[in-house]
Amino acid sequence: MALRVLQAVAAVAVLCRFPVTLTRAGDKSEGTPGQSYVAAVYEHRVILNPEPHVPLSRAAALKHMMSNLDVYEEQAARAAEQGAQIIVFPEDGLQGFNFSRLSIFAYLETIPDPQSEDWNPCTQTDRHTHTEVLQRLSCMARRHRLYLVANMADLQPCCQTSHPTCPPDGRWQFNTDVVFRRDGSLAARYHKHNLYFEKAFDAPPTLEVVTFDTPFAGRFGVFTCFDILFHDPTIRLLEQGVRQMVYPTAWMNQLPLLSAVQFQRAFSLGANTTLLAANIRADSLGMTGSGIFTPGTAIYHHARAGQPEEGRLLVLRIPVLDTAWLGTETRAKGQAGGEGEGEAGGEGEAGGEGEAGGETARGEGEAGGEGEAGGEGEAGGEGHAGGETARGEGEAGGEGHAGGEGEAGGETARGEGEAGGEGEGGGETARGEGEAGGETARGEGKAGGETAYTRSTKPLSGQREGNSGFCLQESQHCQEDSLSTSPPAFSASSPSPPAFSPSSPFPFTSSMMYDPFSFLLLSGSEGQLTVCDGPFCCHLHYRRSPQGGNTELYALGAFSGTHTVNGRYNVQVCALVRCLGSEVSSCGQEVEEAESRVDFLLEGEFGTRHVYPSLLGSGMVLEQPDQVKTTADGRVAMEHSGMTVGLVTACLYGRVYDQD
């Protein structure tokens, strides 16, 4: 569980009643068969143990977890009805949180390592005892023909003589993600590396870099909650070329820079990845915010304060980003008449799911072990050595379900979520999202620095004209690799913003996210500013349009250094923020609403290539930047104009991992 303060806080007010979809303009209305898939995430209102510090019997703990699993079952069925091929549930979703090491004991199950054995808990119930939760999840995946990702508590016995880091009670207790294939077999197990005030759990003695392979989209990486802010395992996955991530989380929103959907979106853009993010809904802790994010499109939900405290299912058709899989699938299609296409109604033939053992082995073996035969031959091992062909081929009729998917993109946000359900009525959540697999595939290996997100003309699901699109520098539609030093083109007739002058406000220091930011106030309706924190500098060109004569205060902030509260990590941040009040001391405090529209070009000179751009509007509305550009010398610029709502935060959040 990450970004949880030590005491409960009020829930954050949020965007709108229904989930919002950001779509990439200029896409085909329906993905090429085999180049897109349907993903689902579920934001779960966890049924809590009212006394988590009190130890329970195993029977009582099972009864508690089964009540949450009953909800999972309902949502897995709903997702499958809408054509989903993979579903992600949140961190801590089965038991909740705030346990002690002793009180969580009855919730633990020993999860076998899929690298070491092939096991289907649903069909091989007698192989391991006390695995009722694993069996329930396995059968859920099998029943609904889904790849299923869930989080649970794992117990692994250890001995101090052979493992010096073994706890005194002779067992490791891990916060664990498990992945099941659609036949119910266990595909992957990941122990969370970066714990966040989790007294019940141990950090794993060795780093785990875990992936799993699917027959419909290729390879996915796995990490959990607080991991997203750290190099290991997240950046290691990216360095291995993984561009599709499943992300169970229990994240408490921290404005103005680290609300859940804000940073999920920023990570997807900055790392050029797909992120399937499932969060907890817990108003007493300010937890909400889930989404399905690709570099070019997104659907997300952030609950409004005062709304019924309930779960939310999101479903979306998105492009495949695994270029190796896409290439293999193309080759496979040229092979004898549909050996996998016959999956027809039966994705489950033993072999298709049977990438078994090897999928996890490839990822966990960090660069090098990838592709070992491992146990791939499970269930006869059909298709392996050619496992890739088997993986890719057979989506056949399976991906095309919910016939409405791919129709006019703008209808996505409007239709979903009514009557409590995103995308009820079949393909509504998936409509328009099939952004032609290749668009994201074009750039996925880019190691961070050479991408540009550029404006195109299709509106954001009917919200506004001028949605941004995605392309890479090698595309003829991308911007030049050097950053413009001129202000953004707000309109052809507008005068250029005035240069910074000594009469502009003087810098001041104010705390934001517990860090001492250097700030400069924006003055007047337009201008340009530079603010520095030591040698790290941020630059801003802006033009703002106050609505209704408001006197909202805005400031440009810069910080470079080590964040030390509720986690220790090094950051470089440029942020344009709305201040809470009329005093400079209010700059950097939590703000949820704003009225002023601000057109801007925000630029920073970073000492890292890992920079995550976010653009947050009033009511937790995410907007897609018109452009995000980077250069080889570390400059990153984000440009945007024509906001649909007032600006809360525009941020370039750099992580300097080697300084942690």
Side-chain angles (χ1 to χ4, degrees), residues 260-278:
V261 295
Q262 176 188 20
F263 197 73
Q264 291 163 14
R265 184 57 174 147
F267 179 83
S268 175
L269 285 176
N272 193 24
T273 67
T274 289
L275 187 70
L276 308 183

Side-chain angles (χ1 to χ4, degrees), residues 357-372:
E359 12 186 83
T360 339
R362 285 205 295 274
E364 295 178 314
E366 289 184 47
E370 304 182 274
E372 286 138 62

Side-chain angles (χ1 to χ4, degrees), residues 376-396:
E376 291 185 313
E378 170 208 328
E382 52 242 46
H384 289 101
E388 284 99 357
T389 359
R391 287 199 306 271
E393 272 142 44
E395 299 102 81

Side-chain angles (χ1 to χ4, degrees), residues 37 41 86-89 147-150 177-180 187-192 208-214 216-225 227-228 232-249 267 272-278 293 320-322 359-366 370:
Y37 62 102
V41 300
I86 184 170
I87 187 168
V88 181
F89 291 104
Y147 272 67
L148 186 149
V149 182
D177 297 331
V178 288
V179 182
F180 296 90
R189 181 195 71 182
Y190 167 67
H191 296 139
K192 182 180 180 182
E208 300 175 3
V209 181
V210 176
T211 66
F212 63 95
D213 292 321
T214 69
F216 51 82
R219 183 160 298 176
F220 289 80
V222 188
F223 57 88
T224 311
C225 207
D227 287 335
I228 201 170
D232 296 337
T234 308
I235 302 305
R236 289 185 184 268
L237 286 165
L238 294 170
E239 289 172 347
Q240 290 185 10
V242 180
R243 288 296 179 271
Q244 302 172 137
M245 310 292 183
V246 295
Y247 179 58
T249 186
F267 179 83
N272 193 24
T273 67
T274 289
L275 187 70
L276 308 183
F293 300 92
V320 175
L321 299 193
D322 185 338
E359 12 186 83
T360 339
R362 285 205 295 274
E364 295 178 314
E366 289 184 47
E370 304 182 274

